[in-house]
Amino acid sequence: MPFDQVYEKYFPFWKQLSDEDKYLCQNSSVVCFEKEQPVHDNLECSGVFIVKKGKLRLYMLSEDGKEITLYRLSPGEICMLSASCVLQSITFDVYVSAEVRSECYMISGPAFSAVSERVLQVKNYALEAATQRFSDVMWIMQQIVFMSMDKRLAIFLLDEIAENEGDMVVMTHEQIARHLGTAREVVTRMLRHFASDGLVEVKRKGIKILDKNKLRDIAY
Amino acid sequence: MPFDQVYEKYFPFWKQLSDEDKYLCQNSSVVCFEKEQPVHDNLECSGVFIVKKGKLRLYMLSEDGKEITLYRLSPGEICMLSASCVLQSITFDVYVSAEVRSECYMISGPAFSAVSERVLQVKNYALEAATQRFSDVMWIMQQIVFMSMDKRLAIFLLDEIAENEGDMVVMTHEQIARHLGTAREVVTRMLRHFASDGLVEVKRKGIKILDKNKLRDIAY
């Protein structure tokens, strides 16, 4: 699909742009990322991404390499926090990587920024996209601060099967731990506990969910 | 000072508003809050506050009453998250209370919201104010997830004396614990540890900072 049609579909402001501002199409490309490949790190203004295929993961990273997943982006969703030059008020570091093999439309950060400085609707759109994610992040923070790890793990497993359908969470304990910002040992211990209660079955290729309702009782 | 002059000082968009939109002045009041009095709880659209005197504290609250301080607002600063009807994309619960006796200019939420729907600059301003706080909140989250409690306590004490000048943090262990979202016992233990290293002195009316540099070594 030509960029013009893609942007008309995803950006509510697109039709209001002048032909001149639609030069964003000339500053666009389709980029592919292999599984686990970094899409964006904190320092650059990588640009605005629209997920075409696959899934992106946004996360925080500590100095000693500890991660915590903030949220994931599916096809049709837009990554605005990777365009730090568009959003000067965002001063924190965020990292983005491809969770699976992914394809994205990418608009150059400086080009998008220039249009957003000229056209208030575009600026508005970018800010609105950022504040929406603010709510997602607060939900994660609430889990971290106020919830016990068993509750967080139960929510995580339920979210995973809701997103990917089926009853398998195809991840290693290490990967789950990374999402939750904890140690692998903690996840392993908790899963063993869930398994002995008949909630899950720990298999070689991942976690099989046996009892969604009991898991929900823990989660909510 | 008449509202018109106050808003001209604080709102970059004020001069661009039509006389009709400046009816915000008629939807304004000066409100006083006693120490610890609630200013806003999650459910209502309380309005936009500009701190005139005193200090407001924004915090999250768990179901079982645990708190964590997100940030504080000093005179001249604006509280936008208390106007949930202006920012539809903000869907999380936030609580605001007066940390000391405070006076605020308050603009009715629905009135501000109506103007922000008509005038893009106003919407922009509100969104920009919210995303700035997004960065503050991420910094708190980073501390919670990635830092040990001694580091967090050291940062907290240094921030307190930087904000209030002098070398005394006039707070109980209970209050500090509430800011950090932890138990009083944890704070007491940590302070005892800091005291034995000669960093602080625990006094009846608060914590006296004895060695800022050593505290900074822990913090950063």
Side-chain angles (χ1 to χ4, degrees):
Chain A
M1 209 194 278
F3 291 118
D4 189 63
Q5 282 174 39
V6 174
Y7 298 157
E8 188 171 328
K9 183 170 167 197
Y10 290 112
F11 296 136
F13 57 77
W14 191 254
K15 282 196 170 175
Q16 295 168 58
L17 288 189
S18 66
D19 286 343
E20 195 193 343
D21 285 335
K22 286 187 180 166
Y23 82 101
L24 285 179
C25 293
Q26 276 85 60
N27 287 277
S28 298
S29 46
V30 173
V31 278
C32 297
F33 301 100
E34 293 306 316
K35 187 175 172 176
E36 306 283 321
Q37 194 183 330
V39 174
H40 164 78
D41 71 30
N42 60 325
L43 294 170
E44 301 160 68
C45 182
S46 312
V48 176
F49 294 93
I50 303 174
V51 182
K52 191 177 171 217
K53 283 183 198 158
K55 193 170 286 180
L56 301 186
R57 181 171 76 94
L58 274 87
Y59 59 99
M60 284 162 61
L61 191 63
S62 73
E63 282 165 31
D64 55 354
K66 222 174 134 191
E67 295 181 6
I68 190 149
T69 299
L70 298 175
Y71 53 87
R72 263 86 65 83
L73 296 171
S74 298
E77 292 192 291
I78 288 151
C79 184
M80 194 55 76
L81 294 191
S82 50
S84 50
C85 49
V86 180
L87 299 162
Q88 274 95 2
S89 41
I90 298 280
T91 56
F92 55 87
D93 297 345
V94 74
Y95 295 77
V96 186
S97 76
E99 191 154 62
V100 295
R101 204 189 170 282
S102 301
E103 257 177 62
C104 301
Y105 301 102
M106 187 190 87
I107 310 170
S108 127
F112 196 94
S113 174
V115 175
S116 84
E117 289 308 316
R118 270 201 301 277
V119 187
L120 219 44
Q121 277 92 338
V122 178
K123 185 84 179 180
N124 238 292
Y125 174 84
L127 286 166
E128 194 102 47
T131 48
Q132 259 159 27
R133 295 308 172 173
F134 193 177
S135 300
D136 291 339
V137 167
M138 288 297 281
W139 168 231
I140 295 289
M141 179 143 154
Q142 216 145 8
Q143 290 182 41
I144 293 171
V145 180
F146 297 136
M147 290 181 194
S148 54
M149 192 48 82
D150 62 334
K151 207 165 172 164
R152 291 179 57 203
L153 181 59
I155 292 174
F156 180 80
L157 294 173
L158 288 168
D159 283 353
E160 278 303 305
I161 55 167
E163 187 146 349
N164 301 313
E165 287 157 31
D167 57 359
M168 277 296 290
V169 177
V170 186
M171 280 191 191
T172 64
H173 299 189
E174 179 67 42
Q175 284 171 316
I176 295 173
R178 218 190 302 143
H179 281 296
L180 298 173
T182 186
R184 187 197 51 75
E185 294 75 10
V186 175
V187 171
T188 301
R189 195 186 332 124
M190 204 75 73
L191 283 172
R192 208 176 290 145
H193 170 75
F194 282 4
S196 73
D197 289 350
L199 277 60
V200 304
E201 193 185 336
V202 179
K203 296 184 153 240
R204 212 180 47 85
K205 63 169 193 161
I207 320 300
K208 185 173 180 180
I209 309 302
L210 300 178
D211 193 333
K212 268 192 226 180
N213 289 331
K214 273 201 201 161
L215 216 47
R216 272 194 205 107
D217 287 344
I218 296 177
Y220 306 107
Chain B
M1 209 194 277
F3 291 118
D4 188 62
Q5 281 174 39
V6 174
Y7 298 158
E8 188 171 329
K9 184 170 165 195
Y10 291 111
F11 296 137
F13 58 77
W14 191 253
K15 283 196 169 176
Q16 296 169 56
L17 288 188
S18 66
D19 286 343
E20 196 193 342
D21 284 335
K22 285 187 180 166
Y23 83 100
L24 285 179
C25 293
Q26 275 85 61
N27 287 278
S28 297
S29 47
V30 173
V31 278
C32 296
F33 301 100
E34 293 306 318
K35 187 175 170 175
E36 305 284 320
Q37 194 185 328
V39 173
H40 164 78
D41 71 30
N42 60 323
L43 294 170
E44 300 160 67
C45 182
S46 312
V48 176
F49 294 92
I50 303 174
V51 182
K52 193 179 168 216
K53 283 182 197 157
K55 195 171 285 179
L56 302 185
R57 182 172 75 94
L58 274 87
Y59 59 99
M60 283 163 61
L61 191 64
S62 74
E63 281 165 31
D64 55 353
K66 220 175 136 191
E67 295 181 5
I68 191 150
T69 300
L70 298 174
Y71 54 87
R72 265 87 65 83
L73 296 172
S74 298
E77 293 192 292
I78 288 151
C79 185
M80 194 56 76
L81 294 191
S82 50
S84 50
C85 50
V86 180
L87 299 163
Q88 274 97 0
S89 41
I90 298 281
T91 56
F92 54 88
D93 297 346
V94 74
Y95 295 77
V96 186
S97 76
E99 190 154 62
V100 295
R101 203 189 171 281
S102 301
E103 258 177 58
C104 301
Y105 300 102
M106 187 191 86
I107 309 171
S108 126
F112 196 95
S113 174
V115 176
S116 85
E117 289 307 316
R118 270 201 301 278
V119 187
L120 218 45
Q121 278 91 340
V122 178
K123 185 84 178 179
N124 240 294
Y125 174 83
L127 286 166
E128 194 102 48
T131 48
Q132 259 159 26
R133 295 308 171 174
F134 193 177
S135 301
D136 291 341
V137 167
M138 288 297 283
W139 167 231
I140 294 289
M141 179 142 154
Q142 217 146 7
Q143 290 182 42
I144 293 171
V145 181
F146 296 138
M147 290 180 194
S148 54
M149 193 47 84
D150 62 334
K151 208 165 172 164
R152 291 179 56 202
L153 181 58
I155 292 174
F156 180 79
L157 295 173
L158 288 168
D159 283 353
E160 279 303 304
I161 55 166
E163 187 145 349
N164 301 312
E165 285 157 31
D167 57 0
M168 276 294 292
V169 177
V170 185
M171 280 191 189
T172 64
H173 299 188
E174 179 67 43
Q175 285 173 313
I176 296 174
R178 219 190 302 143
H179 281 295
L180 298 174
T182 185
R184 188 198 50 75
E185 294 74 11
V186 175
V187 171
T188 301
R189 195 186 329 125
M190 206 74 74
L191 283 172
R192 208 176 289 144
H193 170 75
F194 282 4
S196 73
D197 288 350
L199 277 59
V200 304
E201 193 185 336
V202 179
K203 296 183 153 240
R204 211 179 49 82
K205 64 168 191 160
I207 320 300
K208 186 173 179 181
I209 310 302
L210 299 178
D211 193 332
K212 267 192 228 180
N213 289 332
K214 271 201 204 161
L215 216 46
R216 272 193 207 109
D217 287 345
I218 295 176
Y220 305 107

